[in-house]
Amino acid sequence: MPQPIVLDTINALRIWRNAERRAGKRVGLVPTMGALHQGHISLVNAVREEAESVVTSIFVNPIQFAPHEDFSKYPRAFERDLELLGEVDCDAVFAPSVSEMYPEGFATAINLVGPAAVGLEDKFRPTHFTGVATVVGKLLLQALPEVAVFGEKDFQQLAVIRRMVRDLDMGVEILGAPTLREADGLAMSSRNVYLSAQEREKAVVIHQTLLEAAEAAQAGMPLHAIEKEAEGTLSELGFVVDYVAIRDSVTLAEPVDGAKPGSLRILAAAKLGQTRLIDNIAVG
Ligand code: AMP
């Protein structure tokens, strides 16, 4: 595969993007924070189905981390990321500096309600989605892609971005891509490198618990009882559970009585030692 061209300024990205458009190519964007794994690569392949030209952005976005979170120690592996992207069909990498994205005096943010205010990630990371939406909004305006792809791994983020793109008439197609998992079922994540060997073994229980919960929901067990039981299972094993929640898969609101199992999603977030893990699956 030809190596992707590396663009580190917004201007260089725009020049590249305009040339692709003049050549009649649809551009697909894959926003990431780097430390790439096969889950990210699957997004590149998914967007490639819809676009003749693909740009992957690599930017660890400071404004989506709270002061006590892991911004400074978030894994960074730029050379390895380039190698991985060189093995797939990725045309360009956009890797701006923090000062390129947030020059002095930067004073704008995207405010959200709806799926960004449902008591899931937003409850535990109150400034997170404003940071995500602001940077994704910037990336979409910078790259002006026809299509952009986001993983279901961050299910609430995907819902928030779909909503934002519709609300702000951003005119870009948003693709959701399924979660890639390790052989034992653990969702791939850049943060999995934080896990000790012992924690890594235990981490798979999150996925197993979600699978059991989905089965129970399909069997018609009351949803609150399922959530409680799943939380109990995880807590007993030493997880510090932020939530296990069964929600409407579009709005992420509490399901209405009699909601069809196929309209539901089960989402969980829990800490194992110092590492916060999130995962979710469909019911049915
Ligand atoms: P991140 O670099 O963690 O911000 O993730 C960048 C994109 O990759 C987001 O759209 C994530 O939802 C997606 N992603 C992360 N992990 C996975 C995975 N295991 N499978 C599929 N997509 C993923």
Side-chain angles (χ1 to χ4, degrees):
M1 287 286 172
Q3 292 303 297
I5 176 177
V6 177
L7 311 163
D8 57 9
T9 64
I10 297 159
N11 197 36
L13 173 66
R14 290 220 165 106
I15 291 169
W16 172 83
R17 198 266 171 268
N18 288 339
E20 299 302 280
R21 172 164 287 168
R22 273 197 304 275
K25 296 182 184 173
R26 281 166 54 89
V27 166
L29 171 68
V30 186
T32 82
M33 297 204 300
L36 301 182
H37 49 67
Q38 289 305 314
H40 297 113
I41 298 303
S42 74
L43 300 189
V44 173
N45 292 329
V47 85
R48 163 65 62 193
E49 304 274 311
E50 311 286 325
E52 292 79 43
S53 187
V54 173
V55 55
T56 300
S57 63
I58 296 181
F59 180 63
V60 186
N61 176 35
I63 68 166
Q64 71 187 66
F65 291 79
H68 66 277
E69 292 180 346
D70 57 345
F71 173 67
S72 57
K73 72 167 191 155
Y74 193 84
R76 289 161 172 88
F78 190 64
E79 293 308 319
R80 169 92 188 110
D81 291 347
L82 283 187
E83 263 175 47
L84 276 178
L85 291 171
E87 291 164 11
V88 286
D89 208 357
C90 176
D91 301 276
V93 173
F94 178 49
S97 64
V98 171
S99 60
E100 178 76 4
M101 290 295 267
Y102 300 112
E104 219 180 298
F106 187 86
T108 301
I110 294 183
N111 251 332
L112 313 140
V113 283
V118 291
L120 298 175
E121 286 302 286
D122 49 295
K123 181 167 166 198
F124 297 90
R125 308 184 72 188
T127 59
H128 176 64
F129 286 123
T130 285
V132 168
T134 303
V135 81
V136 170
K138 282 170 66 70
L139 288 166
L140 293 174
L141 289 169
Q142 291 160 354
L144 295 176
E146 274 75 22
V147 50
V149 64
F150 296 84
E152 289 182 350
K153 160 78 174 31
D154 300 280
F155 199 75
Q156 191 177 3
Q157 168 175 284
L158 174 60
V160 166
I161 288 164
R162 283 193 196 286
R163 186 75 252 171
M164 171 185 79
V165 163
R166 274 167 64 185
D167 289 351
L168 297 183
D169 310 309
M170 288 180 156
V172 52
E173 180 191 343
I174 300 299
L175 270 188
T179 302
L180 236 76
R181 298 179 179 280
E182 303 290 353
D184 65 358
L186 175 67
M188 290 184 185
S189 164
S190 306
R191 288 190 167 98
N192 290 349
V193 298
Y194 298 154
L195 296 168
S196 69
Q198 224 185 359
E199 289 166 346
R200 171 64 190 83
E201 257 181 47
K202 206 184 268 187
V204 63
V205 176
I206 293 196
H207 182 232
Q208 288 165 353
T209 304
L210 289 175
L211 288 173
E212 280 161 24
E215 241 176 68
Q218 262 198 306
M221 195 173 149
L223 303 184
H224 282 299
I226 299 172
E227 293 169 346
K228 279 269 157 321
E229 191 173 319
E231 273 189 55
T233 306
L234 292 172
S235 303
E236 265 168 39
L237 284 165
F239 290 86
V240 177
V241 180
D242 282 349
Y243 57 82
V244 178
I246 303 176
R247 296 296 181 89
D248 179 90
S249 61
V250 175
T251 63
L252 297 182
E254 301 261 0
V256 292
D257 281 346
K260 296 240 176 342
S263 70
L264 302 177
R265 197 91 189 173
I266 307 189
L267 307 98
K271 264 187 142 179
L272 193 51
Q274 295 303 302
T275 312
R276 189 168 181 279
L277 300 169
I278 61 170
D279 200 352
N280 67 87
I281 61 171
V283 177

